[in-house]
Amino acid sequence: MDAKFYSRVAEQFGGYFSDAQSTDVFPDGRPEAVFDELVTALGAPQARLLDVGCADGRTLLRISPAYGAVTGIDLSQPMLDVAERYRVEADLSHVAFELLDAAHTGLPDGSIDVVSSRRGPLIADEFERVLRPGGAVVYMGIGEQDARELKETFGRGQDFGSWNGRPLAEEIAQQLTAAGLAVTNSQAFRFEEYYHSPGDLGTFLQSVPILEDYDPVADKDAFERYVATATVDDRVRLRRHWFIVQAQKPVAAAPSNS
């Protein structure tokens, strides 16, 4: 995703969030909470966590106490500036934020215990390189069915048309396997967000990359068509689909004495 999009969001909303009001229903569990639990469970006092695509850092700071050293990287300097302010407010000196490309981190081989990516990039070969043997990757992605009705109404959107192909979770698992990592966990999450008004949904769409180029004026007709078909009990429904894939770097077998 273009770093300019996230920089604009950081400058407009003061971070990676908005004040859009919604009531959410999670029949498969809350994916953010499951992700936090998985990454936290892998922590240890001496463990090093690399979080890729950390954005404004709020979620990373939430789980950072489980680790001895934490680095969040992103390509948006405005997002990192917000993250640093949050870090200072939380007084977490073991956390650092850096402007780095996930494909070329420059970190030493085998220097990281856990790599996390929460709806961020997946660079499987680089993740495998920086992980120590036995280290883990925890990746949260956007599923192929995410906001499908919205994208069909607009005729575009993030991974538009991917619902007709191979599940994106399978593609991610294949990339991790091809890099030499062993997939240990894969979970799908279907849930619904009910926005309290069309204005709340419009605000939300400006703050996320579902429609990266969403324009409230140019997209007025498509937006109104969607609201007309998706309104339930005076709230506007948005169907979501996320997934989590976890993988581990194998530990090298001990040499044989025979």
Side-chain angles (χ1 to χ4, degrees):
M1 191 62 60
D2 192 340
K4 291 181 180 178
F5 170 82
Y6 292 103
S7 295
R8 176 182 63 76
V9 169
E11 292 163 355
Q12 181 175 355
F13 295 101
Y16 191 43
F17 64 93
S18 72
D19 58 0
Q21 299 297 306
S22 69
T23 299
D24 306 333
V25 179
F26 298 98
D28 300 323
R30 188 182 295 268
E32 293 279 5
V34 173
F35 186 89
D36 285 356
E37 290 170 2
L38 291 172
V39 178
T40 299
L42 294 167
Q46 302 304 317
R48 294 190 62 188
L49 170 65
L50 173 67
D51 188 67
V52 178
C54 65
D56 65 12
R58 289 177 301 131
T59 54
L60 177 58
L61 293 173
R62 188 168 64 225
I63 61 178
S64 65
Y67 289 82
V70 176
T71 301
I73 65 174
D74 204 283
L75 286 175
S76 168
Q77 189 60 56
M79 279 290 182
L80 291 173
D81 291 341
V82 175
E84 178 61 16
R85 291 200 298 272
Y86 284 136
R87 186 199 66 78
V88 172
E89 291 173 3
D91 192 25
L92 294 169
S93 60
H94 73 299
V95 180
F97 294 104
E98 298 184 26
L99 186 69
L100 283 178
D101 184 346
H104 309 284
T105 64
L107 295 169
D109 293 358
S111 60
I112 300 296
D113 295 285
V114 178
V115 177
S116 60
S117 181
R118 188 188 306 254
R119 301 183 306 279
L122 178 87
I123 314 296
D125 289 338
E126 180 70 356
F127 292 2
E128 189 279 336
R129 183 188 68 79
V130 302
L131 277 176
R132 64 163 177 78
V137 172
V138 185
Y139 179 82
M140 175 188 286
I142 305 297
E144 67 280 353
Q145 299 294 332
D146 189 70
R148 175 175 174 175
E149 295 90 345
L150 178 79
K151 295 171 190 174
E152 288 178 327
T153 301
F154 280 76
R156 68 182 196 277
Q158 188 177 36
D159 293 317
F160 181 75
S162 63
W163 47 80
N164 296 318
R166 184 181 186 187
L168 294 177
E170 290 185 11
E171 293 184 11
I172 293 299
Q174 183 182 44
Q175 292 178 41
L176 292 167
T177 300
L181 301 169
V183 173
T184 58
N185 181 30
S186 182
Q187 301 179 55
F189 301 86
R190 303 293 187 101
F191 58 100
E192 296 178 333
E193 298 169 342
Y194 290 87
Y195 288 86
H196 294 187
S197 71
D200 284 312
L201 176 62
T203 297
F204 174 72
L205 292 178
Q206 293 180 70
S207 67
V208 296
I210 293 175
L211 302 168
E212 186 177 357
D213 56 351
Y214 174 71
D215 185 319
V217 176
D219 291 319
K220 180 175 182 293
D221 290 345
F223 181 82
E224 290 180 349
R225 287 198 305 273
Y226 179 77
V227 168
T229 60
T231 297
V232 179
D233 296 331
D234 296 325
R235 297 191 176 185
V236 187
R237 180 180 60 207
L238 186 64
R239 290 192 173 104
R240 309 304 306 273
H241 175 207
W242 294 1
F243 63 86
I244 294 174
V245 177
Q246 185 172 344
Q248 185 173 27
K249 184 172 181 176
V251 178
S256 173
N257 293 323
S258 60

